[in-house]
Amino acid sequence: MERLNREQCRAVEHRGAPLLILAGAGSGKTRVIITRIVRLLREGVPPESILGVTFTNKAAEEMRSRIREALPRQSEVAESVTLCTFHALGLRIMEEFGHLDGLPRRFTILDVEDQHDVIRSVIEAEGLDPELVPARQAAQRISAAKNGGLSADQLRSGARTHQERLVARLMKGYEEMLASLRAVDFDDLLCKPRDLLVSHPEVQETLAARYRQIMVDEYQDTNQTQLALLRLLSDEGHNLVVVGDDDQSIYGWRGACLDNILEFEQHFPHAVVLRLTENYRSTRRVLALANVIIDGARRRRPKELWTAGEEGPMPRRVVCATPQEEADYVAQRVSELKGEEGLPYHEIGVLMRTNGQAREFEEALRFASIPYRLVGGTSFFERREVKDALAYLRILANRHDELALRRAVATPSRGIGAVSLARLADSARQHIEPLFEAFKRAERVAGVPVRTARAAARFAAEIERFAAEIEQQKSLAETARRIFDEMGLIEALRSGEGGRKVAAAEHYVANIESLLASLADYEERSARPELADYLKRIALDTTADDSPETGRVTLMTLHAAKGLEFQAVFLVGLEEGLLPHQRSIEEVDGDDDEERRLFYVGVTRARRHLMLSRCRRRRRFQRDEEVEESRFMRELVADLFGDEDRHVDSEKAKAARAVTGFRNILEIIEGKG
């Protein structure tokens, strides 16, 4: 407690009424949450009655690790505290009480790609034009309906246009198909627990009695469904503590509801609000600029960040002629920071509005021999070869998982064509059974050639053989290794089947080895390892690690940078149309508040050095166009930063990019690209 300031101490010691902690950027909110949990444990509060909810598994694990450090002689106490994401909490509730609403004990959690595949199947089954209602668009509308508490029937009754009626029709078919697959999507992990607690008051009372102390991190990112869950679990707010910052609410496009934090006192009467405004991250000059930016937001709770720390160097405003020159400037300045101040590369972040801006920066850094990494690529569990391998494990765990069955049967190809597969699926529907069962009796399905039928039956028999081994408590990792080998997956990856690069075969196989290592690690850590449990765990944790990597400059979007910090930050592309992004403000009728908050988040990632850059011209629609400076930059007064107008030797830069491009071509030819 002696390490906390006065407001942090008040937050830790508060008891009783609902509490909203408005924690400004860099104000030590994680320390407050950890100290509060440790204080409760030392006061004798049972660890099982403490629930900490956050938005990433990484954040939950970091919280647990820090509680262990604070209680070195009571590690079992730290393990008994429930620390998890909202989705993991929903999964726990469904596994414990889902049977009351008819949910099977074993079910599959679909990712976004699987969800779109199911919707495409429904579109095809309904005979609809996929161009009229694209699967991605339908998925977004179905998600919005679910989180709004609407069923397919309610959506249809409230439909005002033909397309809305089509979405309602698709939602009904989608929900029916999920039930037949014994599957749920990510929205279900929140919506089904909410509905279950409403329809079964005894479950709500049980959980409210179980979790007597509830803490929520990043509260500004919650949606309406998560708010409903919290109200039910916390018994309308008793001993509920939430930590968040409305100024860092940047996920409205994926359902986050800013009103949850702005109207906290209306949702939880008698609530207390505390503000943490002392910043322990940035210099005074960085904070002065940040405060001016966010003060222009129309909807926010007033607060101003301050620090007792140093004034720091003046932020720089840099104007370049083109994106290439902007990238060359960044590479040059990175070299200066490394050489003159000894700044490690991993303490430098280049933040941009969209991933599409990254190419020029990658080329410039390569030419300057500066190591970097681009955050935001495909996460490990979303890679094609890993999803192919997981399909085998999913069908082992759930024979109703038709999506997994179709994927596993296709890699490697087993000679089961689209026509035969359709006939097997028709037979399964006629017999009201999973497609897997039709595979088992394929030789009796009319219209399926003998050779194809035997291949389908053989595939089903092999799956059942390996499933029996797992039931006999044999090693999951070793059984999985034999499945991938004996059923031909490894050979398919090595041979380049399905259009894969043969030159990258060892990379694909190495990813399968990593998957097996992950499964082995799960077995070692789990008291009762189950394949279905492992699959649910990885379904909840498919995001790539976004932590700075030692020895590399980080290139990332502003959305991905939230929660991180760097000694030096380059905020690039500060132009109208990019930041604020034109499409984003059009979607919310011209309101630029969320884009402003995104700019603010980028600025507050900087601890010491801050560079703000833009271009005069940018290539759009096959031609160079003059671009305007961002409206947010025009609001800043001149004494907040130093100006620097760049004129890079264009011939030298052009030659540099040509060499870099040639190197890339060589890498591709040699199989390294």
Side-chain angles (χ1 to χ4, degrees):
M1 292 288 288
E2 65 273 8
R3 298 175 60 196
L4 304 184
N5 64 39
R6 185 176 64 180
E7 290 305 303
Q8 289 174 331
C9 286
R10 287 182 62 193
V12 168
E13 294 170 344
H14 176 86
R15 301 289 183 271
L19 174 65
L20 166 61
I21 304 172
L22 287 171
S27 62
K29 68 181 178 66
T30 304
R31 179 185 296 177
V32 170
I33 296 172
I34 300 303
T35 307
R36 180 177 172 85
I37 292 175
V38 171
R39 185 69 174 261
L40 289 169
L41 292 169
R42 285 179 172 160
E43 289 174 0
V45 173
E48 299 82 6
S49 69
I50 299 174
L51 170 64
V53 190
T54 186
F55 277 82
T56 68
N57 289 290
K58 180 182 174 183
E61 283 307 309
E62 181 185 347
M63 288 170 64
R64 191 179 303 282
S65 175
R66 290 175 64 170
I67 293 171
R68 287 196 205 101
E69 290 174 9
L71 300 169
R73 298 181 182 179
Q74 296 175 279
S75 58
E76 72 286 349
V77 171
E79 296 303 322
S80 298
V81 176
T82 301
L83 300 170
C84 61
T85 65
F86 273 102
H87 290 90
L89 176 63
L91 178 59
R92 289 180 184 219
I93 294 171
M94 289 166 67
E95 289 181 327
E96 186 173 357
F97 301 105
H99 63 278
L100 297 174
D101 278 351
L103 191 71
R105 189 179 72 85
R106 290 189 176 184
F107 54 86
T108 299
I109 302 172
L110 301 185
D111 62 19
V112 174
E113 183 183 332
D114 291 331
Q115 183 184 12
H116 292 169
D117 285 344
V118 171
I119 292 174
R120 289 187 192 99
S121 297
V122 176
I123 290 172
E124 184 179 345
E126 294 283 344
L128 299 175
D129 180 358
E131 297 296 322
L132 190 60
V133 190
R136 184 182 298 274
Q137 186 183 99
Q140 291 170 346
R141 294 193 177 189
I142 290 170
S143 174
K146 283 187 175 186
N147 282 293
L150 299 176
S151 66
D153 290 337
Q154 290 170 320
L155 193 63
R156 185 178 64 249
S157 63
R160 289 173 294 181
T161 66
H162 178 60
Q163 190 170 57
E164 287 176 352
R165 285 189 287 275
L166 286 179
V167 171
R169 181 175 163 189
L170 284 178
M171 182 176 178
K172 188 173 185 64
Y174 173 69
E175 290 297 301
E176 289 172 352
M177 187 167 285
L178 286 188
S180 70
L181 295 172
R182 295 191 181 182
V184 298
D185 60 27
F186 262 74
D187 291 317
D188 289 329
L189 295 179
L190 300 177
C191 298
K192 288 186 180 294
R194 173 202 61 196
D195 297 342
L196 192 148
L197 267 60
V198 169
S199 58
H200 297 278
E202 71 281 7
V203 175
Q204 185 269 328
E205 291 171 8
T206 296
L207 292 174
R210 177 183 299 173
Y211 299 123
R212 302 306 301 167
Q213 297 284 345
I214 300 178
M215 272 151 284
V216 183
D217 193 13
E218 305 289 4
Y219 187 69
Q220 76 280 348
D221 294 337
T222 56
N223 61 28
Q224 291 175 319
T225 305
Q226 288 159 336
L227 170 62
L229 264 177
L230 287 174
R231 296 182 72 166
L232 291 161
L233 290 171
S234 66
D235 202 11
E236 292 300 314
H238 180 67
N239 281 334
L240 171 68
V241 176
V242 305
V243 185
D245 182 9
D246 51 308
D247 291 338
Q248 296 186 74
S249 178
I250 59 174
Y251 295 117
W253 52 275
R254 69 182 189 194
C257 182
L258 180 63
D259 287 342
N260 286 0
I261 194 166
L262 294 181
E263 300 174 0
F264 185 79
E265 298 94 323
Q266 294 171 234
H267 300 147
F268 300 98
H270 313 297
V272 174
V273 179
L274 293 176
R275 286 171 169 79
L276 305 183
T277 56
E278 183 175 1
N279 180 282
Y280 296 94
R281 175 190 299 158
S282 305
T283 63
R284 291 204 296 274
R285 279 178 163 154
V286 169
L287 294 182
L289 195 149
N291 285 329
V292 171
I293 291 167
I294 200 61
D295 192 50
R298 286 173 285 250
R299 300 184 66 222
R300 67 183 293 256
R301 290 175 178 262
K303 53 189 168 300
E304 185 168 304
L305 295 180
W306 63 278
T307 181
E310 65 169 328
E311 187 173 38
M314 185 78 78
R316 294 189 184 189
R317 177 170 67 176
V318 184
V319 181
C320 300
T322 65
Q324 290 77 23
E325 291 187 7
E326 183 182 36
D328 291 335
Y329 160 72
V330 169
Q332 178 183 322
R333 184 70 182 124
V334 167
S335 295
E336 292 170 356
L337 289 168
K338 174 72 170 174
E340 296 171 8
E341 299 197 21
L343 204 62
Y345 284 135
H346 69 270
E347 284 286 3
I348 301 172
V350 181
L351 312 184
M352 58 202 76
R353 179 60 178 84
T354 70
N355 267 324
Q357 296 168 247
R359 182 180 62 80
E360 288 87 358
F361 297 100
E362 289 192 79
E363 289 183 356
L365 292 172
R366 282 180 189 169
F367 179 73
S369 299
I370 296 172
Y372 71 90
R373 68 166 192 144
L374 177 63
V375 173
T378 305
S379 71
F380 176 77
F381 292 107
E382 292 174 343
R383 292 172 188 171
R384 179 183 169 191
E385 64 276 8
V386 175
K387 292 197 71 168
D388 288 340
L390 286 173
Y392 285 88
L393 303 185
R394 282 170 51 180
I395 196 63
L396 281 173
N398 176 10
R399 300 310 183 276
H400 286 74
D401 193 339
E402 184 175 322
L403 294 176
L405 175 58
R406 288 174 180 268
R407 186 164 194 139
V409 141
T411 310
S413 173
R414 300 171 198 280
I416 305 173
V419 174
S420 293
L421 201 54
R423 286 171 178 161
L424 288 166
D426 287 341
S427 177
R429 280 191 288 272
Q430 290 169 10
H431 287 77
I432 316 177
E433 64 184 12
L435 179 58
F436 186 84
E437 294 299 316
F439 268 51
K440 289 165 62 175
R441 54 175 182 77
E443 294 178 75
R444 301 194 301 276
V445 175
V448 178
V450 173
R451 179 178 295 179
T452 302
R454 286 176 179 169
R458 187 162 53 249
F459 176 87
E462 289 182 2
I463 290 294
E464 291 197 320
R465 174 169 64 88
F466 285 115
E469 289 188 16
I470 289 175
E471 292 293 331
Q472 294 165 13
Q473 307 293 308
K474 293 193 176 180
S475 165
L476 295 179
E478 286 307 312
T479 303
R481 181 182 295 280
R482 289 179 42 236
I483 289 171
F484 301 155
D485 188 34
E486 294 179 24
M487 298 192 75
L489 175 61
I490 300 299
E491 179 57 34
L493 295 177
R494 291 190 190 279
S495 67
E497 184 176 323
R500 290 181 172 89
K501 297 178 182 178
V502 176
E506 291 310 313
H507 173 70
Y508 302 143
V509 173
N511 283 337
I512 301 302
E513 287 294 333
S514 295
L515 176 63
L516 290 168
S518 163
L519 188 50
D521 182 62
Y522 161 76
E523 282 190 276
E524 187 176 330
R525 291 170 178 266
S526 179
R528 295 183 59 187
E530 289 187 10
L531 183 58
D533 179 56
Y534 170 75
L535 292 170
K536 287 173 185 173
R537 285 174 184 245
I538 64 172
L540 292 173
D541 189 21
T542 58
T543 54
D545 181 18
D546 58 4
S547 302
E549 186 177 301
T550 301
R552 294 176 183 269
V553 171
T554 300
L555 301 181
M556 67 196 324
T557 66
L558 287 161
H559 283 101
K562 185 169 173 290
L564 301 180
E565 57 186 70
F566 302 91
Q567 281 285 4
V569 164
F570 293 85
L571 232 171
V572 301
L574 296 177
E575 303 143 23
E576 284 293 303
L578 271 180
L579 189 67
H581 197 280
Q582 187 63 35
R583 188 175 66 248
S584 296
I585 61 177
E586 284 175 355
E587 289 174 354
V588 288
D589 298 324
D591 185 352
D592 63 13
D593 265 14
E594 183 155 320
E595 292 291 296
R596 180 184 296 275
R597 293 192 293 267
L598 197 54
F599 185 18
Y600 172 80
V601 164
V603 168
T604 54
R605 300 312 93 196
R607 290 204 290 268
R608 182 173 172 79
H609 297 280
L610 176 63
M611 278 66 65
L612 309 169
S613 67
R614 74 170 180 96
C615 303
R616 289 197 182 91
R617 299 189 307 277
R618 192 171 289 273
R619 194 161 184 79
R620 291 175 176 168
F621 308 111
Q622 307 300 315
R623 65 181 183 181
D624 287 333
E625 294 182 359
E626 295 289 326
V627 290
E628 288 184 63
E629 184 177 37
S630 168
R631 66 186 71 177
F632 304 140
M633 289 295 292
R634 295 197 297 270
E635 294 175 6
L636 301 176
V637 294
D639 60 0
L640 287 172
F641 42 69
D643 279 333
E644 186 174 345
D645 206 339
R646 293 291 297 179
H647 294 285
V648 179
D649 184 336
S650 58
E651 289 304 314
K652 180 180 177 182
K654 184 177 179 181
R657 288 189 292 277
V659 171
T660 305
F662 181 65
R663 286 176 182 168
N664 288 343
I665 292 170
L666 287 179
E667 287 179 358
I668 292 169
I669 292 172
E670 294 169 4
K672 298 176 184 177

